[in-house]
Amino acid sequence: MRLFQFILFFFTGLQLLKVQAQEKTGYIPLTKQERQKVELLLSKMTLEEKAHQLASFYPNANKRLNIPHMQAGECLHGVVAAGTTSFPQAISIASSWDPSLVERVSTVIAKEARALGIHHCYTPMLGVLRDARWGRFEEGYGEDAYLVSKIGVAFINGLQGRGKNRFDKDHVVATAKHFVADSEPLLGANGAAVEISLRSLHEVHLPPFRAAVEEAQVGSVMPAHHTLNGVPCHINTYTLNDVFRKEYGFDGLGVSDNNDLRWVQDRLFATESREETIRKALEAGVHTELAFKQTWADKRMYGPPLVAAVKNGKVPVKLLDDAVRKVLEFKIALHLDEEENPLGKEMTELQKGTKDADVNADVFFSQIDGSLSSPRSNYKTVLNNPAHDALALEAARKSLILLKNNNLLPFKKSQFKKIAVIGPNADTIRLGTYSTQQPKHFITVKQGIETAVGKNAQVLYAKGTDIQHPKDTQLAEAVAIAKEADVCILVLGDDDKTVMENVDRDDITLPGDQDKLLQAIVATGKPVVLVLLHGRPAAIQWAKDHVPAILDGWFLGQETGTAIAEAIFGDLNPSGKLTVTYPRNVGQVPAFYNTLIPGRPRMMWGTTEGATYPFGYGISYTQFKYGVPKLSKASMKASETVFAEIEVTNTGKVAGDEIVQLYLRDDISSLARPIKELKGFKRISLRPGETQKISLPISSRSLEFWKDGKWITEPGSFTVMMGPNSEELKTIKLELTQ
């Protein structure tokens, strides 16, 4: 009997050891054997072979050791490659206030990326947007750190997968960028220096990155172009190491932004030599380099200059080994050796067509499709999955915002005999930046209207104006068509030159002669629906005052025209809400709702202080009535969670979605606090006459603020606010005790 028990115990122990050996652990999930494989490969590499592993968006396979190639790519709102699904732009899909939708979208993006041979995506962009002049505005999710965190975490989880699906064959490594505070640059200029307090850094700009690590274990991080309080972000050990790694717990891959390692020395003049630049970047945990279209030569910092610096002792080999180790860990975690063509393309293929020159943004966007990726044999089946198109349409529907409606919308499909569709964005592809140059399809607003009305109405069309080079004859033609029509749908906004990386503005009016076109069409006296397809908040106060209906889509993706037509004709009840404030003019920039309380009341000569539209705003074809907010407890300890509750009723005649928002204000604090801060939200669907009770949690995390180098809470009174946007709020008091 004892012998039997011993044998049973022995084999049970062996089985347990085997299971433990196969268990994946760590920030980058690997088994014990896989980590041993990393060390074995590292020990067999030459110095030059190690350096090649640090090349991002460049051949990095090793045929001698059978180390696979890891391909990077752009996936902001769809994979930047021909024939992929184009979802609403980042600022647009955030307007859905629907993290579950966002995660489903990024799950599809990851699946298409892997089918195309892309394993590492340079997205999401987690900047907290505060300056409408900034050219990269459309790449972000909004002006509030809490909202950006929730949308960003959802996008990362979709890209990387959860649980057993994390980094599997249908998921990729996500990149939190740009670290940090690039969305509040001086003068609104991309890459400009950022000078802000540590308090603003921790309370406004760092929280989305903190959430990316703590809630989604984001795989990689990309530093920003600029200097932060005088220190280039690519060699900033305080933000990258002290905060991101030590405080938040990040243990993933650092990747440089394009050519920024070299520019630490050549543009920012923060180092004296290549060796110093390389050493400081590696010390800050920037493990790989993106140097698009740079050959294996002196302008590729982690190329020959790195090899030389290690050989002459200026860069410790341990720094190089630590960086290579991270790359190998991800290559194994992603199972890249199981791909159909794991070694990718030959380096010589890239060298032949590459000029050793700096590459500007326009060239980068147009050439990025010509990547090194090796698509799987079934990639066309994956890209052409009808479910992906259906999801793109769902995302467009939920992201579309109704800003104004004086009982003009929705139309009946037989209501008008002649419908004028006018504007530079009415019948052309508008996807926004970091988009595929060859979408699988794109439905324009004109096409959507034509499909919706069929033979019930005649659709007239005029461009009205070119955004870049307007002509007077275009305006006259548009006015003539407007006079002939019964109603006008005017589609205005941005093109791919007026809002993009490295293209900022000192004016936020509609670019070109679009305001002139708008006023001319309104002057005809015909009913006008203004549709905005754009990438930054526009100064549309005149439109708010004079146009009866305004729909805002930002850039809605490939299904733009279908979603807008559905909203115009009542097949869709718009439900999106703004994630940014719409300033009246550029003089109100930077504009954001959660400002600190001023020391004196502000007076403006010749105008008023308020924004055109506030954060969180958006209306519906139905009406929602909010009850009186209640708390599950009137007071709480820091260790407890209290729930804020409110009843919302659809008092209208059609079904609709509402986004219930929760804000908090610290009534008395040792430091001045914002007048309100978003701390919760929930998207709900209500039938006519239906009432739902919404419950949103409030924890000590909701009440904390950053002071003297740490997060703290202070006992006292807090105002709890609930409502449909950041201004129309109902309040109740909460007490935080010791």
Side-chain angles (χ1 to χ4, degrees):
M1 184 66 179
R2 289 182 178 178
L3 178 61
F4 174 77
Q5 289 177 333
F6 173 78
I7 293 173
L8 179 63
F9 177 78
F10 178 77
F11 281 103
T12 301
L14 285 178
Q15 188 65 27
L16 180 61
L17 289 173
K18 183 178 180 181
V19 170
Q20 289 176 339
Q22 294 175 344
E23 182 181 358
K24 292 182 181 290
T25 60
Y27 193 90
I28 304 172
L30 295 172
T31 65
K32 182 178 180 180
Q33 289 93 332
E34 288 171 334
R35 295 190 188 281
Q36 291 172 344
K37 181 179 179 180
V38 168
E39 298 305 320
L40 180 61
L41 289 172
L42 190 57
S43 69
K44 292 182 176 181
M45 285 187 195
T46 66
L47 178 57
E48 288 76 9
E49 287 175 329
K50 290 178 181 179
H52 275 289
Q53 291 299 305
L54 308 190
S56 187
F57 210 101
Y58 194 83
N60 53 59
N62 185 312
K63 287 189 175 183
R64 184 177 72 86
L65 297 173
N66 285 317
I67 299 173
H69 171 68
M70 182 165 69
Q71 177 61 36
E74 295 288 357
C75 311
L76 181 64
H77 60 113
V79 183
V80 181
T84 56
T85 307
S86 184
F87 294 95
Q89 179 61 287
I91 188 67
S92 179
I93 198 167
S95 303
S96 71
W97 294 61
D98 190 343
S100 63
L101 169 68
V102 171
E103 185 168 344
R104 286 190 289 130
V105 164
S106 58
T107 298
V108 167
I109 292 173
K111 190 177 184 69
E112 293 191 1
R114 286 303 295 265
L116 287 166
I118 295 170
H119 320 114
H120 176 197
C121 285
Y122 300 144
T123 194
M125 205 282 276
L126 299 179
V128 177
L129 305 172
R130 289 194 157 189
D131 199 317
R133 298 171 297 180
W134 189 43
R136 306 194 73 166
F137 199 96
E138 63 182 310
E139 298 178 45
Y141 296 130
E143 70 184 43
D144 179 85
Y146 179 86
L147 178 62
V148 173
S149 298
K150 293 302 180 184
I151 301 297
V153 164
F155 201 93
I156 293 166
N157 280 331
L159 286 182
Q160 298 189 160
R162 296 176 185 249
K164 293 181 179 179
N165 297 326
R166 183 173 167 82
F167 299 135
D168 69 7
K169 65 182 180 65
D170 287 328
H171 291 91
V172 299
V173 178
T175 304
K177 70 178 189 182
H178 306 89
F179 196 70
V180 59
D182 63 332
S183 52
E184 195 175 0
L186 293 175
L187 305 177
N190 188 49
V194 175
E195 295 288 324
I196 56 176
S197 69
L198 286 179
R199 179 187 172 199
S200 292
L201 184 67
H202 281 269
E203 290 189 354
V204 176
H205 297 286
L206 281 169
F209 292 91
R210 178 184 180 186
V213 174
E214 295 179 350
E215 299 177 37
Q217 292 77 55
V218 67
S220 71
V221 64
M222 177 182 284
H225 300 303
H226 62 264
T227 59
L228 175 63
N229 296 334
V231 181
C233 289
H234 278 72
I235 59 172
N236 195 319
T237 55
Y238 171 71
T239 55
L240 283 167
N241 290 340
D242 296 346
V243 176
F244 203 54
R245 289 185 169 86
K246 295 177 183 177
E247 184 177 341
Y248 298 166
F250 176 74
D251 195 23
L253 184 72
V255 55
S256 83
D257 208 338
N258 192 30
N259 287 312
D260 278 354
L261 291 186
R262 178 161 49 91
W263 290 339
V264 167
Q265 180 186 359
D266 293 354
R267 288 190 176 181
L268 301 178
F269 308 109
T271 54
E272 293 184 353
S273 66
R274 293 295 195 243
E275 293 91 346
E276 181 187 3
T277 305
I278 293 167
R279 176 178 56 79
K280 287 188 172 182
L282 288 171
E283 287 174 342
V286 180
H287 304 116
T288 61
E289 180 184 19
L290 169 60
F292 188 68
K293 291 291 184 180
Q294 295 295 344
T295 59
W296 195 257
D298 290 344
K299 288 186 177 181
R300 184 171 286 276
M301 299 291 283
Y302 284 178
L306 169 60
V307 173
V310 174
K311 286 182 176 179
N312 65 26
K314 297 293 181 65
V315 172
V317 69
K318 183 182 184 302
L319 289 176
L320 173 59
D321 287 349
D322 289 345
V324 175
R325 184 176 291 109
K326 286 297 176 193
V327 174
L328 294 177
E329 286 175 348
F330 271 116
K331 287 185 175 185
I332 291 175
L334 290 162
H335 300 287
L336 299 187
D337 58 339
E338 299 174 9
E339 291 291 343
E340 295 174 19
N341 184 15
L343 297 178
K345 298 178 181 178
E346 292 279 359
M347 185 181 301
T348 52
E349 290 187 35
L350 182 68
Q351 302 281 52
K352 290 177 183 177
T354 300
K355 294 181 179 179
D356 190 16
D358 293 335
V359 179
N360 61 32
D362 284 355
V363 176
F364 183 74
F365 297 146
S366 64
Q367 293 185 358
I368 198 168
D369 282 359
S371 69
L372 300 168
S373 62
S374 297
R376 294 171 179 167
S377 57
N378 70 335
Y379 80 95
K380 290 184 179 180
T381 301
V382 174
L383 267 55
N384 293 317
N385 187 337
H388 296 187
D389 297 333
L391 182 59
L393 179 56
E394 179 188 350
R397 287 167 172 162
K398 290 185 175 180
S399 302
L400 184 60
I401 308 165
L402 180 63
L403 290 178
K404 183 181 179 182
N405 186 28
N406 286 353
N407 297 316
L408 178 60
L409 294 176
F411 298 162
K412 294 179 180 178
K413 292 178 182 177
S414 59
Q415 182 176 352
F416 302 107
K417 295 301 181 184
K418 291 186 178 182
I419 301 173
V421 179
I422 299 170
N425 286 357
D427 195 32
T428 190
I429 296 175
R430 290 285 186 254
L431 291 172
T433 194
Y434 282 104
S435 303
T436 174
Q437 301 293 306
Q438 298 173 276
K440 63 172 71 173
H441 67 257
F442 182 88
I443 309 300
T444 70
V445 175
K446 175 177 174 286
Q447 291 169 341
I449 298 297
E450 289 173 336
T451 300
V453 299
K455 296 181 180 180
N456 291 313
Q458 180 183 1
V459 177
L460 310 175
Y461 167 72
K463 194 171 188 179
T465 182
D466 285 310
I467 293 177
Q468 297 296 326
H469 304 289
K471 306 175 185 67
D472 291 338
T473 55
Q474 293 174 312
L475 179 60
E477 179 188 4
V479 170
I481 285 178
K483 290 179 178 178
E484 182 183 349
D486 302 312
V487 67
C488 300
I489 299 170
L490 190 57
V491 191
L492 307 178
D494 284 303
D495 65 11
D496 57 359
K497 299 294 183 184
T498 60
V499 55
M500 63 177 290
E501 183 176 355
N502 298 324
V503 178
D504 308 306
R505 292 190 65 194
D506 60 3
D507 178 12
I508 60 170
T509 58
L510 292 168
D513 283 352
Q514 291 183 91
D515 278 325
K516 185 178 178 181
L517 172 64
L518 169 64
Q519 294 174 23
I521 299 302
V522 171
T524 65
K526 298 299 176 71
V528 174
V529 177
L530 173 60
V531 177
L532 294 171
L533 300 177
H534 59 138
R536 60 160 56 86
I540 55 169
Q541 185 64 43
W542 191 93
K544 179 183 178 182
D545 294 339
H546 296 89
V547 177
I550 304 175
L551 282 165
D552 192 343
W554 297 99
F555 293 120
L556 282 171
Q558 66 183 40
E559 309 295 337
T560 292
T562 301
I564 289 172
E566 288 179 346
I568 287 174
F569 292 102
D571 297 317
L572 167 68
N573 187 355
S575 57
K577 300 216 175 190
L578 294 177
T579 64
V580 294
T581 300
Y582 271 31
R584 287 173 174 262
N585 51 56
V586 75
Q588 289 189 329
V589 174
F592 46 94
Y593 81 95
N594 49 347
T595 59
L596 298 174
I597 299 173
R600 288 191 175 189
R602 190 182 190 195
M603 298 180 65
M604 300 289 290
W605 180 84
T607 186
T608 57
E609 183 182 355
T612 297
Y613 288 108
F615 173 82
Y617 185 81
I619 58 176
S620 170
Y621 291 153
T622 191
Q623 297 80 42
F624 299 103
K625 180 182 178 181
Y626 280 71
V628 177
K630 299 178 181 179
L631 298 174
S632 58
K633 290 176 61 178
S635 64
M636 63 177 284
K637 298 178 182 178
S639 60
E640 296 178 325
T641 297
V642 165
F643 290 88
E645 300 173 346
I646 196 166
E647 289 189 346
V648 181
T649 303
N650 182 347
T651 60
K653 297 180 180 180
V654 296
D657 285 9
E658 173 64 324
I659 297 163
V660 182
Q661 300 164 40
L662 167 69
Y663 297 84
L664 296 176
R665 180 176 67 243
D666 192 344
D667 294 332
I668 304 294
S669 174
S670 60
L671 292 179
R673 303 290 299 127
I675 55 176
K676 67 191 74 162
E677 294 179 289
L678 181 73
K679 294 298 179 181
F681 61 88
K682 187 174 183 180
R683 185 183 180 107
I684 60 173
S685 299
L686 293 173
R687 299 183 301 273
E690 183 182 3
T691 298
Q692 276 192 36
K693 179 186 287 186
I694 310 306
S695 180
L696 296 171
I698 301 173
S699 67
S700 61
R701 185 78 171 261
S702 310
L703 309 177
E704 67 183 7
F705 64 98
W706 201 81
K707 180 182 179 182
D708 298 332
K710 60 183 179 181
W711 290 94
I712 67 168
T713 56
E714 291 180 340
S717 172
F718 291 80
T719 300
V720 179
M721 297 164 270
M722 302 185 79
N725 57 64
S726 62
E727 291 191 352
E728 301 173 76
L729 298 167
K730 296 188 175 183
T731 66
I732 190 172
K733 293 292 184 179
L734 170 67
E735 190 76 18
L736 176 65
T737 62
Q738 288 284 2

